Amino acid sequence: MARVSISPRRAGVALAALTALLLSGCADKPDRPRPAPPASGSAPSATPSATPGGDPAARAAALVGTLADEDLVGQVLMPYAYGDAATKVSPGSAAGNRALAGVDTPAEMVTKYRLGGLILVGFSADDPTSGNQETTNVDNPKQVRELTTGLRAAAGKLPTGAAPFLIGTDQEHGVVTRITDGVTLLPSALAAGAAGDPALTEAAWKAAGTELAAMGVNLDFAPVADVLATRSTVIGSRSFGADPQRAAAQVGGAVRGLQGAGVAATVKHFPGHGHSAADSHKDLPVLNQSRAALAAGAWPPFTAGIDAGAMAVMSAHLDVRSVDPGTPATFSHKLLTEVLRGQLGFQGVVITDGMNMAPAKRWSPGEAAVRALKAGNDLILMPPHVGQAYDGLLAALRDGSLPRTRLVDAATRVLTMKFKLADRPTPELSTLAAPAHREAAQRLAAAAVTVLRGACGGGVRGPVTVTSSGGRDHTRAALTEALTSAGVKVVPSGGTVVHLVGYGDGAGDLRADAAVTVAMDTPYVLGSAKSPTLLVTYSSSRASMTALAGVLAGKAQPSGRSPVKVPGLPATTCAA
């Protein structure tokens, strides 16, 4: 499959010129007649952009020139919906959609508000983002493919139907992974940081991107570009590490991998959520670093993502005191327009973090959407009420408080990204969990395993007893299976104790008599562990448990280096 490699930096000049040309014909004529949307079931009218091929920016500008105000507003909205199918949902999901958008089904939401896209949502037990995941509409790959097909059928009847409908999700791998069954699961970003090989990261993320594309998902809200400068539990192992340059190389690899598979990458959370330990789902984190410190310590991974051609950047609900004190970055013109676009040169789509998160809910959905758009965002993600956000944007456009030039620019950027994703074949579902994909994940997981205390390799004396902190029966079973396959005898008790700890665990979850303690998330807890051998996988994926089993069996060398500092422990006990 061909790689998507159009650089937003290079595309920016052409896009700006096309947008300026377009605005010259509409900015001074706000009351000119607009075409009505087609009746339900009818095909979109032929436009220059409806023909396949051609420059994406030119196709977007041509299509924008035909759109009504209502269509322009709809293109900058990307809500979630209730229900696991496009046109048929349960009574409970219908009630949720009525409260959210005044409709019964996701397809009706797309049609009523002429949406630019929809986000698929879900959550798991260890998910630090579960606070803004109001529902789940992902179950298995077949269901997701049927849902996305139904959504695209509804969007295809809109005046913007020539451009692919955006369907996004947070498939970060690790603790934030929406689709978990029947797909290739990669180790966490922090594991990739420990492996330290951008080529392995690119190959693994290309495999994962191919599987997203097979399910009909064309926008991934990943990779996380936040540098883990604090012990943030909301970012944690979602980050590639604490070194901005090493993290930057990994972000570039992940972007190239995803977009090489035809899925738009979103580097997040600008201007750097890892520089605060607070959780923006609940509060407004404050970044007290100087602008120079952020430029050196937080922004290199974002720049690397931009240079790799990332089609999108997600803005964060962060108060950056050195740039725009008191204003969340999501609503800061200084940060999004002057810094992100001006200083860092990003010309792609800027997407808000969830607008149903606490810092964004200080304003009504309509006012928040207008403020976010005026600051420089192009796509409003997860408004807490779709109708109010839509009506607020439309009213602000018509009373002049939202400049038409800003809305047209945003819609043009969104449609340009869509056309960059157009005309690509959808992989078959049979590509999911393909041997080559599993192998790419396995290579990355194996390169990540790190020894922080004890001999570098050599294995453990069997038999082995596998224990864990509470709620990790599935992972314990996966390691037991992998150890057995590697030739290590596993017994219920009395053997050499290998103890697993993971996300959210602390000193109280450690086991004093364990010969080996393994951290399956950030390694900080190992600073309190007494075991003679300390290992880190940074992830509890099946690939990571297989890689761990290889080390414990003495069949593989733990070659990773911790991408964060653990006081009192080295980055590795293995020689370089």
Side-chain angles (χ1 to χ4, degrees):
M1 184 173 289
R3 171 177 293 176
V4 178
S5 59
I6 299 172
S7 168
R9 287 182 188 266
R10 294 193 294 271
V13 175
L15 176 58
L18 284 162
T19 303
L21 181 62
L22 173 64
L23 296 179
S24 68
C26 68
D28 59 346
K29 300 176 183 178
D31 298 321
R32 79 185 197 287
R34 298 274 186 166
S40 178
S42 63
S45 59
T47 69
S49 60
T51 57
D55 177 65
R59 295 174 75 182
L63 181 54
V64 165
T66 72
L67 298 180
D69 291 349
E70 293 83 356
D71 299 307
L72 293 173
V73 168
Q75 284 304 291
V76 302
L77 291 175
M78 192 174 203
Y80 64 94
Y82 292 83
D84 59 5
T87 59
K88 186 177 181 180
V89 300
S90 69
S93 291
N97 286 324
R98 284 194 293 272
L100 179 64
V103 298
D104 286 342
T105 70
E108 290 171 355
M109 192 184 300
V110 171
T111 300
K112 180 175 181 178
Y113 297 105
R114 313 183 195 193
L115 296 177
L118 199 79
I119 179 174
L120 306 186
V121 291
F123 44 83
S124 60
D126 287 346
D127 188 348
T129 70
S130 60
N132 75 324
Q133 303 293 299
E134 305 289 349
T135 183
T136 181
N137 49 20
V138 295
D139 183 22
N140 60 73
K142 183 175 182 292
Q143 171 265 322
V144 173
R145 174 72 173 260
E146 291 173 352
L147 171 59
T148 59
T149 298
L151 293 171
R152 289 205 163 87
K157 299 170 184 177
L158 298 173
T160 51
F165 189 66
L166 290 177
I167 299 176
T169 198
D170 294 279
Q171 194 78 350
E172 296 178 10
H173 299 277
V175 293
V176 178
T177 307
R178 304 296 180 225
I179 308 168
T180 58
D181 293 337
V183 300
T184 300
L185 294 177
L186 309 184
S188 69
L190 201 61
D197 187 340
L200 290 178
T201 301
E202 180 174 347
W205 278 83
K206 186 171 184 179
T210 300
E211 297 191 6
L212 283 175
M215 292 181 284
V217 176
N218 58 1
L219 173 61
D220 194 2
F221 298 117
V224 171
D226 303 315
V227 176
L228 198 58
T230 65
R231 290 196 184 186
S232 167
T233 56
V234 69
I235 300 301
S237 60
R238 302 164 68 192
S239 166
F240 288 103
D243 185 296
Q245 299 303 326
R246 290 179 178 271
Q250 294 296 322
V251 168
V255 168
R256 289 189 296 272
L258 272 175
Q259 296 193 171
V263 174
T266 309
V267 290
K268 64 184 188 184
H269 309 77
F270 185 80
H273 208 312
H275 277 65
S276 170
D279 185 352
S280 62
H281 296 89
K282 303 173 183 177
D283 304 296
L284 179 62
V286 173
L287 271 61
N288 286 311
Q289 296 86 355
S290 68
R291 180 164 176 162
L294 291 172
W299 298 344
F302 292 95
T303 299
I306 293 167
D307 288 343
M311 295 189 195
V313 170
M314 180 176 285
S315 60
H317 307 314
L318 302 171
D319 180 0
V320 184
R321 293 295 172 89
S322 61
V323 179
D324 197 358
T327 303
T330 314
F331 305 98
S332 171
H333 186 274
K334 289 182 180 178
L335 280 160
L336 300 187
T337 302
E338 295 178 16
V339 176
L340 180 57
R341 294 214 189 277
Q343 182 178 337
L344 273 62
F346 182 61
Q347 295 300 321
V349 173
V350 180
I351 305 173
T352 71
D353 205 344
M355 298 291 276
N356 61 343
M357 294 164 63
K361 292 174 73 174
R362 63 170 66 178
W363 299 286
S364 68
E367 184 177 356
V370 172
R371 286 175 175 265
L373 207 68
K374 290 173 70 174
N377 293 282
D378 305 301
L379 200 54
I380 309 299
L381 188 66
M382 301 178 74
H385 192 283
V386 184
Q388 291 176 22
Y390 180 89
D391 290 343
L393 287 168
L394 195 58
L397 175 67
R398 290 176 171 167
D399 70 18
S401 55
L402 173 62
R404 180 174 295 276
T405 53
R406 175 75 274 270
L407 178 62
V408 168
D409 176 59
T412 303
R413 290 181 190 275
V414 170
L415 286 164
T416 297
M417 180 168 73
K418 289 184 174 188
F419 282 123
K420 288 180 181 180
L421 299 169
D423 310 322
R424 299 177 64 93
T426 301
E428 296 296 328
L429 279 178
S430 59
T431 64
L432 270 65
H437 294 177
R438 296 198 304 270
E439 177 61 25
Q442 194 61 59
R443 287 196 300 269
L444 184 60
V449 180
T450 307
V451 55
L452 299 187
R453 180 189 294 156
C456 183
V460 296
R461 292 182 179 180
V464 165
T465 297
V466 179
T467 64
S468 69
S469 57
R472 306 196 185 279
D473 293 348
H474 179 79
T475 307
R476 194 166 66 246
L479 178 57
T480 298
E481 179 183 340
L483 283 168
T484 302
S485 296
V488 177
K489 184 178 180 180
V490 181
V491 295
S493 61
T496 300
V497 175
V498 175
H499 186 66
L500 306 175
V501 290
Y503 176 82
D505 287 343
D509 296 293
L510 298 169
R511 181 166 171 165
D513 65 342
V516 181
T517 299
V518 183
M520 304 183 297
D521 194 68
T522 54
Y524 304 122
V525 67
L526 295 184
S528 302
K530 304 303 181 184
S531 301
T533 298
L534 302 178
L535 296 173
V536 197
T537 63
Y538 313 92
S539 170
S540 60
S541 70
R542 182 167 291 274
S544 294
M545 293 303 97
T546 299
L548 173 62
V551 170
L552 293 173
K555 295 182 176 181
Q557 190 84 352
S559 59
R561 292 181 60 86
S562 178
V564 295
K565 291 182 179 179
V566 181
L569 294 172
T572 178
T573 62
C574 295

